[in-house]
Amino acid sequence: MSVLDLARPEIRTLQPYSSARMEAAGGQIMLNANESAWAPNGDGGLGCNRYPDPQPDALLQALAELYGVRRDQLFVGRGSDEAIDLLVRAFCRAGEDAILIQPPTFGMYAVSARIQNAAVLEVPLSRDFNLDVPALLAAITPAVKLVFLCTPNNPSGKSISREDIERVAQALAGKAVLVVDEAYVEFSGQRSVADLINRYEHLAVLRTLSKAWALAGARIGSLLASPEVIALIRRIMPPYPLPLPCVAAAMAELSPSGRAEARENIAIVREQRGMMHTALSQLPGVREVLLSDANFLAVRFDDAGTVYRQLLQAGIVVRDIRRYPFLQDALRITIGTPEENARVLAVLNETMLNKGWA
Ligand SMILES: *Cc1c(COP(=O)(O)O)cnc(C)c1O
């Protein structure tokens, strides 16, 4: 059995859109795409009057090298959000198939599934945010085509062990595609499971330049998977997903100096995460700071609503995550610059004093 047997039959036989860019490359006088012959104002040599390469070779090469995979094992699109959406559309028949998620987790898996009218099966994480592997496997039905695992998990910050991921991967062979979302893996001590795509053709890994690589505004995310799955996803991708300025921004970030800067910033985040964990844990009114492998901390407060408003009044916006299961008293605070983090602590100190908690 091939992993493609799990995909929607009509997608497997779909005649993809053939863009002018794909049909003819390498000409000198390009009159096949109804583009303007003149560069736009302030173009700076980018050539934005031309449609971009749908999957630019230099970017594929740089990302494949970064993630330790081959180019035919990598699709690059507009953030991992786009890869999530394309996976759901490729594998889930509307009104018939389902995805499986473990709340509390990232919201886009369920949103993409609902847009596609795929069902969303939920197997909650345990109270201490660990994956319940037997419960997950017991919940698999023939309708489940995609199982999403988020590690480190958003919003808890906890990682799933490589052993647990492999256990799930082994059990899902021939049944469903396992999608491991590693949006925050650069901040964790654990290594990526990207190498495992060579062993499991039904394993897909999501990586992004939005978090550790400082490029949320450029929207560059990657799907790492078997060449068959990548080819399938490329058949249904939008004709020109990657704007030229975004590709240029990604190439600059992946240059030696860009990589050095990213590494430095990751080190600062990890150091500041430890500092913030200690400092927040000592504040009155703080019930618990969850241990995090990511660039944020989920923090439980006696009165999270008041803390949220006090921070907002001081101009500090954090994420209210009280709607998530097991987190009804929690806020999620991203690790900022050392100055920003100090400001958070100062405002929280003041808030706690005013409330008489100190
Ligand atoms: C931020 C985030 C993403 C989205 O990444 P983009 O590449 O910006 O689309 C994906 N997964 C998780 C868990 C995230 O927190």
Side-chain angles (χ1 to χ4, degrees):
M1 177 187 177
S2 153
V3 62
L4 293 186
D5 294 338
L6 297 167
R8 288 169 55 200
E10 61 274 28
I11 297 292
R12 294 179 63 182
T13 56
L14 178 87
Q15 178 71 43
Y17 176 68
S18 178
S19 65
R21 204 17 102 253
M22 287 171 173
E23 281 171 3
Q28 266 129 49
I29 299 178
M30 301 302 285
L31 303 176
N32 66 338
N34 302 343
E35 302 150 332
S36 171
W38 298 274
N41 192 258
D43 187 55
L46 269 181
C48 278
N49 52 319
R50 300 294 177 187
Y51 281 107
D53 189 334
Q55 294 281 278
D57 212 49
L59 181 60
L60 283 181
Q61 176 75 44
L63 289 169
E65 191 216 310
L66 179 69
Y67 299 139
V69 299
R70 296 192 315 267
R71 266 175 295 182
D72 66 352
Q73 295 173 311
L74 189 147
F75 161 78
V76 54
R78 292 171 297 197
S80 26
D81 286 329
E82 182 165 73
I84 294 166
D85 184 59
L86 291 173
L87 282 168
V88 169
R89 286 202 269 166
F91 285 91
C92 294
R93 292 167 298 173
E96 296 187 50
D97 293 327
I99 70 162
L100 190 147
I101 60 172
Q102 293 88 47
T105 194
F106 186 53
M108 280 310 294
Y109 317 133
V111 169
S112 288
R114 292 195 174 109
I115 291 170
Q116 175 68 7
N117 193 21
V120 179
L121 303 191
E122 300 189 339
V123 177
L125 294 170
S126 70
R127 226 155 218 299
D128 49 358
F129 305 102
N130 286 314
L131 185 65
D132 186 343
V133 176
L136 184 160
L137 297 181
I140 300 293
T141 66
V144 174
K145 292 296 181 337
L146 298 171
V147 174
F148 286 92
L149 296 183
C150 186
T151 178
N153 186 39
N154 179 7
S156 66
K158 197 161 205 174
S159 296
I160 302 169
S161 73
R162 194 181 172 87
E163 294 69 43
D164 276 355
I165 293 169
E166 279 218 70
R167 268 169 74 199
V168 175
Q170 276 159 12
L172 290 184
K175 294 185 178 148
V177 176
L178 176 60
V179 187
V180 180
D181 185 345
E182 296 187 326
Y184 301 97
V185 75
E186 291 91 343
F187 301 107
S188 87
Q190 217 165 290
R191 71 188 163 104
S192 166
V193 295
D195 58 298
L196 295 181
I197 64 170
N198 294 307
R199 221 167 327 139
Y200 305 100
E201 63 157 9
H202 62 293
L203 175 66
V205 177
L206 298 170
R207 301 291 300 264
T208 181
L209 298 187
S210 292
K211 309 284 162 52
W213 293 88
L215 278 177
R219 312 301 301 123
I220 304 284
S222 298
L223 169 70
L224 320 178
S226 65
E228 292 75 22
V229 169
I230 296 300
L232 185 77
I233 293 300
R234 286 195 179 139
R235 293 163 70 90
I236 62 168
M237 72 180 174
Y240 305 104
L242 301 168
L244 285 172
C246 299
V247 174
M251 292 307 292
E253 185 66 8
L254 296 172
S255 70
S257 63
R259 286 178 191 229
E261 262 174 49
R263 264 197 304 276
E264 268 172 47
N265 292 339
I266 291 167
I268 294 171
V269 166
R270 290 175 55 125
E271 182 270 322
Q272 287 285 303
R273 180 179 69 199
M275 182 280 292
M276 287 294 279
H277 189 279
T278 307
L280 288 166
S281 302
Q282 286 161 359
L283 280 180
V286 170
R287 291 178 178 164
E288 187 190 2
V289 186
L290 302 188
L291 277 175
S292 170
D293 285 328
N295 66 337
F296 55 81
L297 292 168
V299 186
R300 298 185 191 282
F301 294 93
D302 288 337
D303 184 354
T306 300
V307 171
Y308 181 85
R309 283 188 296 278
Q310 298 282 344
L311 286 170
L312 199 56
Q313 252 169 37
I316 300 170
V317 186
V318 300
R319 186 85 159 167
D320 188 345
I321 53 172
R322 286 179 292 166
R323 67 184 178 283
Y324 287 99
F326 312 139
L327 291 167
Q328 275 101 359
D329 54 357
L331 304 177
R332 191 192 68 198
I333 305 176
T334 306
I335 304 299
T337 64
E339 295 73 26
E340 289 170 339
N341 302 332
R343 181 89 187 104
V344 168
L345 292 176
V347 173
L348 286 179
N349 256 313
E350 211 174 300
T351 304
M352 302 313 179
L353 283 175
N354 287 344
K355 293 224 22 158
W357 281 333

